[in-house]
């Protein structure tokens, strides 16, 4: 939806019931501490089965200073099966106090050791992922990568691409470094870049080799793409 990049448009778009606009307006409201509006938007969208709204609703409720109206939706009923299926953000949304305690511990560890900032960045990505937190998380992952944590190099490159924060060519050195260290997901991402012609020149053979390597290293996605069991 266009208001994803222009939050000021979301509130009006939600009024006329445009797709995704109400959840996006709720995100903007939560980021700007308009908690009442955020709760209202997320509650309505969660009631009709919007997973992102159900994920963000507990975060908005946790920011309320006084008891509000009873919710119409039951976010846990949608979050619980997703949590059981392995969606980490769904689990975290049902355990916000514990997430905040861990946040404090990982923040202290990052101050003491730049390589530990990768764990903090990953932790932030498991939270509400508001724009400011997302920017901070990606910077922390890059910081840890620069300090020698190759897992953070992989995570930084993959997440920057996923959220459209960097161009593919910009993240390729980090992905290559992680792939050289035998991190399967980084090899998969490199292979996809090669297959799409992001490397110059386009290298489909290199892509196939990288997918084979990623599959051997344990990437389920790479194995599916290569047709291996």
């Amino acid at each position: 939806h266009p208001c994803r990049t222009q939050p000021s448009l979301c509130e009006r778009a939600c009024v006329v019931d445009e797709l995704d606009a109400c959840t996006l307006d709720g995100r903007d409201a939560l980021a700007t501490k308009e908690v009442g509006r955020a709760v209202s938007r997320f509650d309505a969208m969660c009631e009709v089965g919007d997973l992102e709204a159900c994920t963000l609703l507990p975060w908005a409720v946790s920011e309320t200073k006084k008891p509000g109206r009873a919710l119409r939706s039951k976010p846990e009923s949608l979050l619980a099966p997703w949590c059981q299926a392995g969606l980490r953000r769904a689990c975290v949304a049902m355990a916000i106090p514990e997430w905040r305690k861990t946040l404090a511990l990982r923040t202290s560890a990052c101050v003491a050791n730049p390589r530990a900032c990768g764990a903090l960045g990953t932790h932030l990505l498991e939270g509400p992922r508001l724009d400011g937190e997302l920017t901070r998380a990606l910077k922390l992952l890059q910081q840890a990568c620069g300090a020698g944590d190759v897992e953070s190099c992989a995570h930084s490159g993959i997440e920057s691409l996923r959220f459209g924060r960097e161009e593919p060519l910009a993240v390729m050195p980090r992905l290559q470094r992680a792939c050289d260290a035998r991190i399967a997901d980084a090899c998969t991402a490199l292979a996809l870049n090669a297959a799409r012609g992001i490397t110059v020149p386009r290298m489909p053979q290199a892509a196939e080799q990288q997918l084979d390597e990623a599959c051997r290293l344990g990437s389920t996605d790479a194995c599916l793409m290569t047709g291996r069991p």
Side-chain angles (χ1 to χ4, degrees):
H1 193 282
C3 77
R4 187 178 296 277
T5 54
Q6 293 179 276
S8 61
L9 301 177
C10 287
E11 187 171 7
R12 179 177 179 277
C14 178
V15 171
V16 297
D17 199 28
E18 292 186 15
L19 182 65
D20 293 337
C22 291
T23 298
L24 291 169
D25 184 48
R27 288 181 63 86
D28 182 51
L30 185 57
T32 55
K33 304 300 182 184
E34 297 176 70
V35 178
R37 190 172 105 229
V39 170
S40 176
R41 296 299 194 227
F42 296 145
D43 190 22
M45 295 304 294
C46 180
E47 191 176 24
V48 297
D50 185 318
L51 177 60
E52 182 68 4
C54 290
T55 302
L56 291 172
L57 179 56
W59 293 98
V61 170
S62 75
E63 295 291 334
T64 56
K65 305 300 182 187
K66 56 185 179 181
R69 62 174 176 79
L71 299 176
R72 293 180 297 174
S73 63
K74 293 181 171 57
E76 295 82 4
S77 65
L78 187 60
L79 293 173
W82 278 100
C83 175
Q84 291 170 3
L87 183 61
R88 179 64 184 157
R89 284 183 75 223
C91 301
V92 168
M94 296 188 292
I96 292 172
E98 290 79 3
W99 183 89
R100 286 178 170 151
K101 289 176 186 175
T102 304
L103 178 66
L105 293 173
R106 291 188 174 172
T107 300
S108 298
C110 175
V111 171
N113 177 9
R115 290 190 65 166
C117 293
L120 176 57
T122 299
H123 191 68
L124 286 169
L125 289 174
E126 294 172 349
R129 286 186 191 160
L130 303 178
D131 284 347
E133 293 166 343
L134 178 58
T135 298
R136 182 185 174 208
L138 294 176
K139 285 182 178 178
L140 287 165
L141 288 168
Q142 284 203 47
Q143 181 180 342
C145 174
D149 179 11
V150 290
E151 289 278 358
S152 290
C153 294
H155 204 183
S156 164
I158 291 166
E159 296 298 332
S160 285
L161 287 176
R162 184 154 72 98
F163 290 106
R165 295 301 181 98
E166 291 182 88
E167 293 297 323
L169 284 173
V171 306
M172 284 183 68
R174 275 173 275 153
L175 292 175
Q176 187 64 61
R177 183 177 174 188
C179 182
D180 290 344
R182 300 178 62 78
I183 296 174
D185 288 344
C187 296
T188 302
L190 280 175
L192 291 175
N193 284 348
R196 291 167 182 158
I198 293 168
T199 50
V200 182
R202 187 168 182 263
M203 297 189 297
Q205 186 174 3
E208 186 176 343
Q209 291 171 349
Q210 285 168 329
L211 282 173
D212 284 340
E213 176 66 10
C215 179
R216 283 194 293 272
L217 293 173
S219 169
T220 303
D221 288 343
C223 292
L224 286 171
M225 283 184 272
T226 58
R228 290 190 177 191

